[in-house]
């Protein structure tokens, strides 16, 4: 799996729900109207999926549901802005991408499907890890604004810890992809492949 693909995906997710984008507020009437609009759009999208069959229908429905969940999470974050709401919006998009990606993998078979599923999972892990780091970073910045130098250092230390955990999670997910690709080999070739993956991802 190409790292630049995952980086682009997670960056897009975080950019779509940046602090500035979530800082908007709306009235209760606007909120209700938007919520009703989201439900209407989902029903219309799902109805269109009815004309499809097999996995194409599954993909269509996963996309429709994912878009609904993303829109709802975005709406909540705009109506009542907070770090928690922004985080939920980031996760909603990560969940939606993951579910659609898994459905697309069902069109494949054998090791190609296994690799596809591992790549989908890795992209999901990357997105969730980056969302968590982003949230902790925002929280640390907020606390540090009015804090002493020591508190500032403590806040940055917490972000560093979360970043390290996120890096470990990403590396484990990427290793799972590389290891799955080794399944196409056998004997010594497979062993070498797995060992190379271990060295590459520090396992």
């Amino acid at each position: 799996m190409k790292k630049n693909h995952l980086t682009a995906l997670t960056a897009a997710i975080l950019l779509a729900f940046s602090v500035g984008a979530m800082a908007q507020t709306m009235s209760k009437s606007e909120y209700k109207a938007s919520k009703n609009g989201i439900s209407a759009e989902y029903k219309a999208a799902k109805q269109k999926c009815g004309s499809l069959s097999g996995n194409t229908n599954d993909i269509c429905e996963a996309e429709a549901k994912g878009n609904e969940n993303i829109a709802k999470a975005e709406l909540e974050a705009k109506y009542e802005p907070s770090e928690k709401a922004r985080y939920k919006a980031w996760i909603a998009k990560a969940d939606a991408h993951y579910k659609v990606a898994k459905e697309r993998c069902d069109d494949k078979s054998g090791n190609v499907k296994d690799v596809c599923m591992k790549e989908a999972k890795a992209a999901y892990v990357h997105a969730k890890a980056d969302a968590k780091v982003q949230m902790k970073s925002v929280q640390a910045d907020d606390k540090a604004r009015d804090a002493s130098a020591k508190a500032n250092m403590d806040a940055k230390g917490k972000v560093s810890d979360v970043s390290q955990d996120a890096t470990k999670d990403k590396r484990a997910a990427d290793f799972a992809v590389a290891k799955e690709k080794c399944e196409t080999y056998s004997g010594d070739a497979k062993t070498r492949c797995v060992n190379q993956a271990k060295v590459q991802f520090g396992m």
Side-chain angles (χ1 to χ4, degrees), residues 89-111:
W90 292 328
I91 295 302
K93 191 157 192 177
D95 286 341
H97 277 287
Y98 180 47
K99 288 175 182 177
V100 172
K102 286 197 299 181
E103 291 295 344
R104 293 188 186 282
C105 291
D106 282 343
D107 285 329
K108 308 177 189 302
S109 62
N111 181 251

Side-chain angles (χ1 to χ4, degrees), residues 29-76:
S29 59
E30 289 175 326
Y31 169 74
K32 288 184 176 180
S34 295
K35 197 170 185 178
N36 290 335
I38 291 170
S39 295
E41 287 181 10
Y42 169 63
K43 288 178 181 178
K46 189 175 181 181
Q47 190 172 13
K48 288 182 180 179
C49 296
S51 62
L52 305 174
S53 61
N55 197 48
T56 303
N57 172 265
D58 294 340
I59 293 172
C60 180
E61 291 197 352
E63 289 177 335
K65 189 62 180 177
N67 288 335
E68 181 194 29
N69 290 339
I70 291 169
K72 283 182 176 180
E74 286 180 345
L75 178 61
E76 294 299 327

